Amino acid sequence: MSFTVLIPARMASSRLPDKPLADIAGLPMVVRVAQRVAQVGAVQVVVATDHPRIAQACEQHDVRALMTRADHLSGSDRLAEACQALGLPNDSIVVNVQGDEPLIDPDLVSACATLLAQRPDCAVATAAHPILNADELNNPNVVKVALDAQQRALYFSRAPIPWWRDGSQAGQAHLSPHQHTLRHIGLYAYRVGTLKQFPTWPAAPLELSESLEQLRFMWQGERIAVHVTTSAPAAGVDTFEDLERVRTAFA
């Protein structure tokens, strides 16, 4: 099986300015991400960016970078442009790894790509892990996913799903003993042909309501396979505190 890893990286971050270029043990964060996913055996690893400073930093450290438009509304739109620029065939697979995940598990990247290759009934593959406490279930910043019997996504939501009716009191959701409650991990593998279609589809009502772009694929009838891992991956970098944690890990 062969696949390409694409790393979208843009400069606009309100909580952590110039985040892709943040220094981690002597290298920019986006370079650390590219070096880490290079371990998965992809055909190529390419950073798709909208800023020349990011492209320059990548080139200085022998990481391939591709300039894309600055007006993309989502990461999937940026990846679709990158697929066109790279001339990737429609039946090939790309894996989207965020540029703020310097501690991403290479095995998880490989697992998503492998799952999609094994599931011709699906156009996208992603990952999830069990939620172990009710606080995460009730947190709208934690995206939940419910699956069918074939490990395909039924729905993604910021709301507590599934809602355990008999265990819920005073409007507070509790973990159901009947099935795993799963937290979505923002890692995706796509079939290139489907990804190229994404920018041509209007934003779906469910997508706009939940602010979750993966719901656009499901709205269009595309199926998403889900790899369930037993433990949570290392968190990405959103704040200065996250950056300090990652710096400590590399030190």
Side-chain angles (χ1 to χ4, degrees):
M1 184 196 64
S2 63
F3 61 95
T4 293
V5 173
L6 295 178
I7 305 172
R10 61 191 187 97
M11 198 65 84
S13 173
S14 57
R15 287 187 287 180
L16 191 59
D18 295 351
K19 182 167 68 169
L21 301 181
D23 182 88
I24 298 177
L27 289 175
M29 178 161 57
V30 68
V31 173
R32 287 289 183 191
V33 175
Q35 290 180 341
R36 193 165 184 87
V37 297
Q39 303 173 35
V40 304
V43 173
Q44 57 184 340
V45 176
V46 182
V47 173
T49 184
D50 64 352
H51 203 285
R53 287 178 58 203
I54 297 176
Q56 182 180 24
C58 290
E59 291 165 1
Q60 288 175 345
H61 298 285
D62 297 321
V63 172
R64 185 177 180 184
L66 180 70
M67 289 297 299
T68 55
R69 297 188 347 241
D71 60 348
H72 286 305
L73 298 178
S74 73
S76 297
D77 291 309
R78 190 176 308 283
L79 295 185
E81 181 189 351
C83 288
Q84 294 280 11
L86 293 169
L88 298 179
N90 288 343
D91 60 351
S92 62
I93 292 174
V94 297
V95 181
N96 172 14
V97 176
Q98 296 301 320
D100 57 5
E101 299 276 356
L103 297 178
I104 187 74
D105 181 0
D107 289 340
L108 190 59
V109 176
S110 180
C112 280
T114 300
L115 176 61
L116 186 57
Q118 295 172 343
R119 295 295 299 266
D121 58 317
C122 296
V124 183
T126 188
H129 69 85
I131 291 176
L132 301 179
N133 65 74
D135 287 341
E136 281 196 346
L137 182 65
N138 289 311
N139 186 347
N141 294 316
V142 173
V143 177
K144 278 70 68 172
V145 59
L147 308 183
D148 66 13
Q150 284 73 46
Q151 298 291 93
R152 296 176 304 205
L154 287 168
Y155 190 60
F156 295 86
S157 182
R158 298 182 183 279
I161 57 170
W163 179 269
W164 181 30
R165 185 198 64 178
D166 295 336
S168 302
Q169 300 174 357
Q172 297 298 314
H174 296 269
L175 297 177
S176 170
H178 304 294
Q179 69 177 77
H180 286 305
T181 302
L182 298 173
R183 177 175 186 165
H184 177 231
I185 300 169
L187 174 70
Y188 298 94
Y190 303 96
R191 299 196 192 281
V192 168
T194 303
L195 184 57
K196 288 177 180 177
Q197 286 183 286
F198 182 88
T200 71
W201 295 330
L206 293 175
E207 172 191 1
L208 294 173
S209 179
E210 297 268 12
S211 191
L212 296 173
E213 66 186 66
Q214 63 267 41
L215 291 174
R216 192 184 309 184
F217 289 98
M218 299 182 71
W219 182 264
Q220 293 292 333
E222 301 292 353
R223 289 174 169 173
I224 301 178
V226 181
H227 168 75
V228 178
T229 182
T230 56
S231 58
V237 177
D238 289 318
T239 65
F240 183 75
E241 290 73 23
D242 294 335
L243 180 59
E244 288 300 291
R245 171 181 49 80
V246 170
R247 284 171 170 168
T248 299
F250 272 88

